[in-house]
Amino acid sequence: MNAKSSEKNSDQKNTINNSTISKQSMEQGYKLYQKRFIILFLFTMAELCNTAMYATCNPIAVELSNIYNESTSVVTLSATLYLFMHPLFTFPASYLIMYKGSSMSVKIGSILTLLGVFSRCLVRQSFIYVLIGQTLCGIGRPLILNAQASVAVEWFPSSQRTKLMTMLNFIVTFSGILGYIIPPIFFAGVTIDERSPQDVLDTGDSRFMYLLFSEAVFSAVFLIPLLIFFETKPKSPPSAAAKGSTKVISFTDSICQMLKDTKFIQIFISFTLFYGSYKGYGVALVYILKPYGYGKSDIAILSVMPVIGGFLSSLIIPTIYKSWGKYKPIIIILEFSTIFTFYGFLWGCYLQNYVVMLAMATLQGFFILPAIPLLLEWGCEQIYPLNDSFCIGLQYSGATMGSSFIAQIVSMIIHGKDASKFDGFIGITIICSLYALAILSIVFLKEVKHKLALKKSFVNPSDESEKPFPHPYTEVNPDDLGLFDPDKVQDEDDDTGGDDNLIDNNNHNQQQSQGNNSFGQVHGANDD
């Protein structure tokens, strides 16, 4: 009887000990903070406020040229200045993110955005203030946009990164389209041309001022709280990928290492051709549709449909990637499917079937938008342990330059405003040919999991509790892991666990070892 009672007491003590150990292990593991959702919201609003400024003048360029007596080329220069600031300032932005953190970069980008949107409100003094404002917003763009991956990895676990990057890039695309849609709404019911009387021009001027002040106030409402509450990183990292090792890779060495990586260059080419072609197609769309009799309102609706498709795919594609664990096959399938949607869209134009055109435009967004964050993530994976801002900044810069070049080439080949239906077919074929080249640039590229190799080398944070939480992807020693040698890195098929399993395994091991010690102590006490 005493033996049974002793055994029962021992089991109860073991249960209590295991429960305590499990609780302690969870307390020692990587931590997630509820504040991360506030940080994410503020960052998405910074992306929205900045990106929506890009196309303020373009949809109403003819009206503005008559109101302020400027040529349409000067009016559209505002968007060009905005776009070309990204390639010029992407490396300075990456430098700031690398050495000062994402918070400093995003806050400076937000300040420049605020200065830009309020500078534009001086348009009655001179239209040059609009150009200055657009330039300031353009400089702020890489400071905000290049910090995408840093914000994701500093606040969220790696298992949520693909979904998060998909959402952030969806916000960028949605903001750009929103910037095209809103200005014509303010000019609804007002027709302005070179023969318009002064009272009509004054009405147009008032409408434009309402638009500029509305965008400025909207930006201030969200960006001022960002300047107060936005933080670079939490006290404890959310995952193993957010921690670094000991050796700092300098800024110049990081750039040289990235540009020498031929596999990254292949990914960069694919992203530039893929995303750049789509943006170029958006510019040339008005000329492709003109022979079929479609106007601005039709184009506005067709521009919204890819956003709907992209939203739907943002709920599906990250789940597929999480179960598959591979970038390349998913990206190739998405890019190849996009080619069919372009010809399907053209087929709808020939049939004069607007429903088919809307369906194809929705499918374009469904296939194109999720491929963008996957290509960005793959590029970040390839250059790891270099800072992610280098990859994102360079790829977006390439897409920006590529889209402008592709739009000019396609518009010139299809004869711009004089485009015929056959010219539209040629334009679509050029776009699809570039998509085929985007596929070819990565089809033979082997995936490696650089982050997985480094992640498996980490111990539980409790074992290094006294060490500071370093900047992600900058304080590492690639020589210790052979990160730039594919033969020394785990293949993509080995990435089955992620950070959650890493935490669980550490907790499980701690439970076993501490449980055994506790069990031994109990028996030792009984023996005494």
Side-chain angles (χ1 to χ4, degrees):
M1 185 76 177
N2 292 335
K4 289 184 179 180
S5 177
S6 177
E7 183 178 354
K8 183 177 180 180
N9 291 335
S10 178
D11 290 340
Q12 289 176 347
K13 289 180 180 179
N14 284 335
T15 302
I16 294 173
N17 286 335
N18 288 335
S19 176
T20 303
I21 292 166
S22 176
K23 183 178 179 180
Q24 291 174 347
S25 298
M26 291 299 293
E27 290 175 350
Q28 293 172 347
Y30 302 110
K31 294 182 180 180
L32 295 177
Y33 296 82
Q34 292 298 320
K35 188 188 295 185
R36 70 188 188 276
F37 296 110
I38 298 176
I39 298 296
L40 178 62
F41 173 76
L42 292 173
F43 183 75
T44 55
M45 295 312 298
E47 282 192 330
L48 190 150
C49 292
N50 182 276
T51 307
M53 301 305 111
Y54 155 62
T56 300
C57 299
N58 278 21
I60 51 176
V62 175
E63 289 82 354
L64 294 181
S65 66
N66 289 299
I67 294 172
Y68 299 106
N69 196 26
E70 300 284 353
S71 65
T72 54
S73 60
V74 172
V75 175
T76 57
L77 179 62
S78 61
T80 304
L81 289 172
Y82 174 93
L83 283 180
F84 276 87
M85 292 304 106
H86 198 144
L88 293 177
F89 287 90
T90 188
F91 285 125
S94 296
Y95 180 90
L96 192 62
I97 294 169
M98 182 174 177
Y99 289 106
K100 299 299 181 181
S102 59
S103 176
M104 179 68 73
S105 178
V106 173
K107 286 180 178 180
I108 293 177
S110 299
I111 291 172
L112 289 170
T113 301
L114 286 173
L115 291 175
V117 293
F118 280 102
S119 295
R120 300 186 311 171
C121 295
L122 300 174
V123 63
R124 285 178 174 172
Q125 306 299 321
S126 173
F127 195 80
I128 194 172
Y129 287 108
V130 174
L131 302 181
I132 293 173
Q134 290 293 102
T135 301
L136 291 173
C137 291
I139 297 173
R141 175 180 166 86
L143 293 167
I144 297 173
L145 206 59
N146 290 13
Q148 276 186 351
S150 296
V151 172
V153 79
E154 288 163 358
W155 286 95
F156 291 83
S158 297
S159 59
Q160 298 177 6
R161 175 166 171 158
T162 300
K163 185 178 294 185
L164 197 63
M165 289 293 289
T166 301
M167 186 201 73
L168 291 175
N169 282 277
F170 171 79
I171 292 295
V172 173
T173 303
F174 171 76
S175 304
I177 294 176
L178 197 66
Y180 271 102
I181 296 174
I182 290 179
I185 294 176
F186 277 79
F187 279 78
V190 179
T191 302
I192 298 176
D193 53 33
E194 62 275 5
R195 295 185 298 273
S196 298
Q198 188 61 41
D199 60 330
V200 176
L201 295 178
D202 291 340
T203 300
D205 174 62
S206 299
R207 298 280 185 96
F208 188 55
M209 290 300 299
Y210 291 150
L211 170 63
L212 295 180
F213 273 114
S214 298
E215 292 182 340
V217 171
F218 180 86
S219 299
V221 167
F222 293 103
L223 296 185
I224 291 176
L226 180 146
L227 297 176
I228 301 172
F229 299 109
F230 195 84
E231 299 178 15
T232 294
K233 59 194 174 212
K235 295 180 181 179
S236 300
S239 66
K243 288 181 68 66
S245 209
T246 57
K247 185 177 180 180
V248 177
I249 303 176
S250 70
F251 179 74
T252 53
D253 288 343
S254 297
I255 296 176
C256 293
Q257 186 69 63
M258 179 179 63
L259 297 179
K260 289 178 182 178
D261 192 332
T262 56
K263 291 184 178 180
F264 170 74
I265 297 301
Q266 288 177 259
I267 299 171
F268 168 77
I269 292 172
S270 182
F271 183 86
T272 299
L273 292 174
F274 182 73
Y275 192 35
S277 296
Y278 179 64
K279 296 187 72 169
Y281 161 78
V283 174
L285 182 61
V286 61
Y287 305 129
I288 294 173
L289 292 179
K290 188 174 181 181
Y292 300 96
Y294 294 105
K296 287 185 177 181
S297 59
D298 300 311
I299 295 174
I301 296 173
L302 289 170
S303 299
V304 173
M305 301 312 294
V307 176
I308 298 174
F311 175 77
L312 295 175
S313 64
S314 67
L315 305 175
I316 300 172
I317 301 301
T319 304
I320 296 175
Y321 170 74
K322 186 176 181 180
S323 61
W324 202 342
K326 298 180 180 180
Y327 296 112
K328 185 174 73 174
I330 299 176
I331 292 171
I332 290 176
I333 291 172
L334 292 173
E335 291 183 346
F336 193 73
S337 301
T338 304
I339 296 176
F340 287 98
T341 63
F342 277 116
Y343 282 112
F345 180 82
L346 194 60
W347 178 63
C349 292
Y350 276 114
L351 296 178
Q352 294 287 296
N353 191 323
Y354 198 61
V355 174
V356 173
M357 294 169 63
L358 292 175
M360 291 298 108
T362 305
L363 288 176
Q364 285 174 6
F366 186 90
F367 294 125
I368 291 173
L369 297 188
I372 295 168
L374 289 177
L375 280 165
L376 287 173
E377 272 201 79
W378 190 5
C380 293
E381 185 77 48
Q382 181 60 40
I383 69 168
Y384 192 77
L386 305 182
N387 195 289
D388 286 354
S389 62
F390 289 105
C391 167
I392 293 179
L394 190 62
Q395 294 208 75
Y396 269 120
S397 298
T400 299
M401 301 291 289
S403 63
S404 300
F405 180 75
I406 292 168
Q408 292 295 327
I409 294 297
V410 172
S411 299
M412 181 179 65
I413 291 177
I414 65 177
H415 306 106
K417 297 180 180 179
D418 299 323
S420 64
K421 294 181 179 180
F422 180 75
D423 290 330
F425 171 79
I426 296 298
I428 293 293
T429 301
I430 293 173
I431 298 294
C432 292
S433 299
L434 295 174
Y435 271 52
L437 291 176
I439 295 173
L440 289 175
S441 67
I442 61 171
V443 70
F444 299 110
L445 188 61
K446 181 181 178 181
E447 289 187 46
V448 291
K449 293 294 184 182
H450 289 152
K451 293 179 183 177
L452 178 63
L454 185 61
K455 183 169 62 180
K456 288 184 176 180
S457 72
F458 288 126
V459 295
N460 191 282
S462 61
D463 298 332
E464 296 182 336
S465 57
E466 297 181 356
K467 293 185 178 181
F469 175 26
H471 290 299
Y473 311 153
T474 59
E475 301 179 5
V476 294
N477 187 356
D479 298 328
D480 294 341
L481 298 170
L483 290 178
F484 294 101
D485 186 352
D487 296 331
K488 297 181 182 179
V489 183
Q490 293 287 346
D491 195 14
E492 70 273 8
D493 296 333
D494 296 331
D495 188 10
T496 56
D499 292 325
D500 294 335
N501 286 348
L502 179 63
I503 297 170
D504 292 341
N505 288 337
N506 287 333
N507 290 337
H508 180 68
N509 292 335
Q510 289 178 6
Q511 288 175 8
Q512 283 187 331
S513 83
Q514 295 184 23
N516 291 336
N517 292 337
S518 299
F519 185 78
Q521 291 172 2
V522 171
H523 277 282
N526 289 337
D527 291 341
D528 292 340

